[in-house]
Amino acid sequence: MNDAAPAPNTPRRARVRAPELIGKGGWLNTGGKDYTLTDLRGRIVILDFWTFCCVNCLHVLDELRELEERHRDTVVIIGVHSPKFVHEAEHQAVVDAVERYEVEHPVLDDPELATWKQYAVRAWPTLVVIDPEGYVVAQHAGEGHAHAIETLVAELEAEHEAKGTLRRGDGPYVPPEPVATDLRFPGKALRLPGGTFLVSDTTRHQLVELAADGETVLRRIGSGERGLGPDSFSEPQGLALLPDGKVAVADTVNHAIRTFDPETGEVATVAGTGKQWWQGSATSGPAREVDLSSPWDVAWWQDRLWIAMAGVHQLWTYDPATETVEAVAGTTNEGLVDGPAAEAWFAQPSGLAAGGDRLWVADSETSAVRWLDTDLVVHTAVGTGLFDFGHRDGDAARALLQHPLGVTALPDGSVAVSDTYNHALRRYDPATGQVTTLATDLREPSGAVLVGGDGSGDPDIIVVESARHRLTRLRLPEEAVRVESVAHRTQRAATEVGPGKLSLDVIFQAPAGQKLDLRYGPSTRLLVSSTPPELLASGDGADTDLSRELVLADGVTEGVLHVSAMAASCDDDPAVEYPACHVHQQDWGVPVRVVEGGTGRLALVLAGMDEASAE
């Protein structure tokens, strides 16, 4: 262990020797070479623990792009892919995700969560900073930490340049060979009135119009470069036909709703500023002045455009008549809670479909199908929570899905479900309460479009096979496909906690050069709940203190603690009247098992280091 003194004027940091990087799936984006931390000595290493189902992880990928480019000769970012769902443990699925989301740094595929456990990670996403001598110097959970890491990187560059321990040079990233296909990881599709199909070609940042055969390319819309201009998109997803004949587009990474006019080819922005929504931002107002967060799908229902706002676990609406947006359903807390729209919880809603008096919702992270009625009450049709998933047909109360991304209303009142990580098309019938499987051997289906069924012939369904880069036409079967039932729980191990009192500590240290923003009262917030609710005898609810004593109820042996934390810090410069401020936030779902001898303290790092674990 090197205990050399830090460079002058550099604050001493808690340092923990970084564990080795282990992943049974091996390395991606390195040209076939495996790496150890010793190979990276002399560089600042940022480990990004992510999983490709997680929209917050995708936000962090975007946050890191600028830092990655600016410090390319001193910083090596390594994505440690740590799966939540069974499908995410498949190596080819990780390969696909790295291309799909344009990850331009090495990725370690860790299907058994070996490195996750070594670093005691508890949340997706988590960032860990390792200094050039191989010590962990910071950990950050959640989003909004890019500014703090940028400051830390500058300090580490200066410190280790002075010590002679910084090694500049090219990084280990080797881009994969591009593959030629007409579509590349398409997201959603829409049938236009003329019988052609409009597809969001997500990874290529374009819309593509296909002929009625679903294969022949008629035209491409967008330059193919990321952007918010009149000829650009950034990972577009959902599409919906508006009453005026234009198409609404969920321009996901631009955090915007766009319109495309099939007649003129014109693209316009109708909602969003191009900036991501953060806690404390406006939740209603003039559409072009309100920030959005990763809109994933759109649907026209009840005279408004409904938006699946995946990034904040809500449903919003856009009213073209008043040109306003409004948050309608969801609290921004992640989970599965039914009831009045304003009190319900969602978990990354990613698919919408208007079906008469119901708005169907694919709630992907809870592997659920939900619906909103005309009284604005949220119901769950299929799904039980964040950590239960699988492929099980039968009664909806026991049926299981795996991270569905799409729903399609069928003429008989039922709904087809693009059961993405099960590679299947499923069906839920409200009349019988039964879930069946319509088709299997699809590759990451992310949406579907009904064709026919209006008296013009038997209905077909066009499925967006995202990971096969194509649309696939299926005849809706009269009978369900027989599939062997399987149930899963997340591979993430439960934390063993002792019975009775449990001290919860959310660790937050304001980044260097910043302080907590106390100008308008407390700048921190902590919300705690549990599944089942009976797990907590006391300690649930909201408060401003980041430490709290929980009491676990007698007789409940396992469950999930839901912890949501937020802290705001501002630049600490008395000479600046209006300092720049930054919001740090994260939601944790922590599976716990109550056992004698289990820990009496649960520490969750929002930003900084847990001094109790530092050497």
Side-chain angles (χ1 to χ4, degrees):
M1 187 175 291
N2 187 332
D3 293 320
N9 302 319
T10 301
R12 179 177 290 276
R13 302 182 189 85
R15 302 199 308 170
V16 177
R17 176 64 75 179
E20 193 50 83
L21 304 178
I22 307 165
K24 195 172 182 180
W27 290 81
L28 304 174
N29 283 355
T30 62
K33 178 173 178 175
D34 294 347
Y35 279 88
T36 66
L37 284 176
T38 301
D39 298 326
L40 302 170
R41 197 61 51 81
R43 311 298 290 274
I44 300 163
V45 177
I46 300 174
L47 302 182
D48 176 16
F49 288 88
W50 70 300
T51 189
F52 63 78
C53 71
C54 160
V55 71
N56 310 93
C57 299
L58 305 185
H59 291 168
V60 168
L61 284 175
D62 292 321
E63 288 178 6
L64 291 176
R65 291 186 201 279
E66 219 173 290
L67 182 145
E68 191 169 20
E69 183 59 37
R70 209 163 25 236
H71 299 273
R72 195 167 287 280
D73 67 333
T74 59
V75 171
V76 174
I77 296 176
I78 293 175
V80 181
H81 189 268
S82 313
K84 171 186 174 180
F85 291 98
V86 169
H87 170 59
E88 293 175 307
E90 296 175 16
H91 182 70
Q92 185 57 47
V94 181
V95 173
D96 288 345
V98 167
E99 181 190 350
R100 180 195 297 266
Y101 298 116
E102 297 182 319
V103 179
E104 295 182 351
H105 51 249
V107 172
L108 176 64
D109 181 11
D110 183 17
E112 297 177 346
L113 303 181
T115 296
W116 164 288
K117 294 169 186 172
Q118 287 292 310
Y119 281 82
V121 174
R122 294 185 183 275
W124 295 279
T126 290
L127 298 170
V128 175
V129 182
I130 301 172
D131 73 13
E133 294 178 287
Y135 289 89
V136 174
V137 293
Q139 183 171 326
H140 302 265
E143 304 176 49
H145 302 295
H147 180 271
I149 291 176
E150 176 85 45
T151 301
L152 177 57
V153 164
E155 289 179 0
L156 290 171
E157 285 176 340
E159 175 184 342
H160 288 274
E161 192 93 75
K163 291 172 67 174
T165 49
L166 184 70
R167 178 170 57 86
R168 295 179 180 269
D170 293 334
Y173 170 65
V174 178
E177 288 293 324
V179 180
T181 52
D182 287 334
L183 301 173
R184 206 70 194 160
F185 298 105
K188 307 285 185 182
L190 172 71
R191 194 178 190 220
L192 295 174
T196 61
F197 294 95
L198 192 66
V199 183
S200 54
D201 198 14
T202 305
T203 298
R204 293 208 177 109
H205 317 297
Q206 292 180 318
L207 307 181
V208 178
E209 185 176 1
L210 300 178
D213 61 8
E215 297 180 9
T216 305
V217 175
L218 300 179
R219 60 173 162 167
R220 296 183 179 275
I221 300 96
S223 65
E225 299 294 326
R226 290 182 185 269
L228 193 54
D231 191 36
S232 56
F233 300 93
S234 188
E235 297 184 27
Q237 288 279 351
L239 306 167
L241 194 63
L242 299 175
D244 63 3
K246 294 180 181 177
V247 175
V249 182
D251 198 2
T252 305
V253 178
N254 273 327
H255 309 294
I257 301 299
R258 319 289 296 283
T259 57
F260 164 65
D261 188 335
E263 293 297 322
T264 66
E266 180 184 0
V267 174
T269 300
V270 296
T273 64
K275 296 179 181 177
Q276 184 182 340
W277 187 95
W278 289 98
Q279 289 288 350
S281 301
T283 55
S284 64
R288 292 290 305 276
E289 299 175 15
V290 177
D291 299 337
L292 309 181
S293 182
S294 295
W296 208 276
D297 202 7
V298 283
W300 185 258
W301 186 66
Q302 299 289 307
D303 298 320
R304 287 180 288 175
L305 184 73
W306 288 76
I307 306 166
M309 205 70 75
V312 285
H313 318 301
Q314 291 181 310
L315 304 182
W316 288 42
T317 60
Y318 165 67
D319 186 345
T322 60
E323 297 184 342
T324 57
V325 291
E326 178 184 10
V328 177
T331 64
T332 76
N333 294 308
E334 184 179 17
L336 194 153
V337 176
D338 288 340
E343 301 170 15
W345 290 22
F346 292 92
Q348 212 170 299
S350 301
L352 297 176
D357 59 358
R358 297 186 180 192
L359 179 69
W360 294 103
V361 183
D363 204 25
S364 61
E365 279 295 290
T366 51
S367 297
V369 172
R370 322 277 296 277
W371 54 279
L372 185 70
D373 65 25
T374 53
D375 292 325
L376 300 186
V377 176
V378 177
H379 310 261
T380 296
V382 185
T384 58
L386 285 166
F387 299 108
D388 297 299
F389 52 91
H391 193 144
R392 180 193 287 153
D393 289 329
D395 186 74
R398 295 187 66 253
L400 293 173
L401 309 169
Q402 187 177 179
H403 198 78
L405 289 178
V407 280
T408 307
L410 299 179
D412 62 358
S414 67
V415 60
V417 183
S418 295
D419 193 6
T420 310
Y421 289 0
N422 278 328
H423 311 298
L425 189 68
R426 313 283 293 284
R427 177 176 176 263
Y428 165 67
D429 186 353
T432 63
Q434 295 292 301
V435 175
T436 53
T437 297
L438 300 178
T440 59
D441 194 30
L442 302 168
R443 188 67 184 171
E444 292 192 23
S446 54
V449 182
L450 189 69
V451 179
D454 53 4
S456 60
D458 293 333
D460 288 349
I461 196 161
I462 307 295
V463 180
V464 181
E465 278 200 271
S466 189
R468 283 199 178 115
H469 319 292
R470 71 188 189 192
L471 303 188
T472 298
R473 182 182 292 263
L474 301 174
R475 177 61 51 90
L476 281 176
E478 294 182 5
E479 295 185 5
V481 177
R482 296 184 183 277
V483 176
E484 184 177 349
S485 178
V486 60
H488 300 295
R489 282 184 66 83
T490 179
Q491 295 190 58
R492 177 181 174 183
T495 299
E496 294 189 344
V497 297
K501 294 180 179 179
L502 177 66
S503 295
L504 172 65
D505 292 323
V506 173
I507 311 299
F508 178 77
Q509 296 155 2
Q514 296 181 34
K515 63 179 180 181
L516 287 175
D517 179 15
L518 302 175
R519 292 172 297 166
Y520 309 107
S523 63
T524 55
R525 185 184 78 122
L526 181 64
L527 176 66
V528 179
S529 63
S530 66
T531 303
E534 297 76 25
L535 175 65
L536 285 176
S538 67
D540 60 340
D543 204 344
T544 57
D545 195 339
L546 293 181
S547 293
R548 186 182 302 183
E549 185 174 90
L550 310 179
V551 178
L552 303 174
D554 293 337
V556 182
T557 59
E558 64 178 0
V560 179
L561 290 175
H562 303 282
V563 180
S564 178
M566 187 270 288
S569 61
C570 295
D571 292 346
D572 187 9
D573 186 348
V576 178
E577 184 177 0
Y578 300 106
C581 296
H582 310 273
V583 176
H584 315 260
Q585 63 184 44
Q586 173 63 14
D587 295 335
W588 290 268
V590 183
V592 296
R593 183 177 300 113
V594 182
V595 297
E596 290 293 339
T599 184
R601 176 177 182 259
L602 178 61
L604 303 174
V605 177
L606 177 59
M609 292 281 288
D610 180 10
E611 300 292 347
S613 66
E615 296 179 354

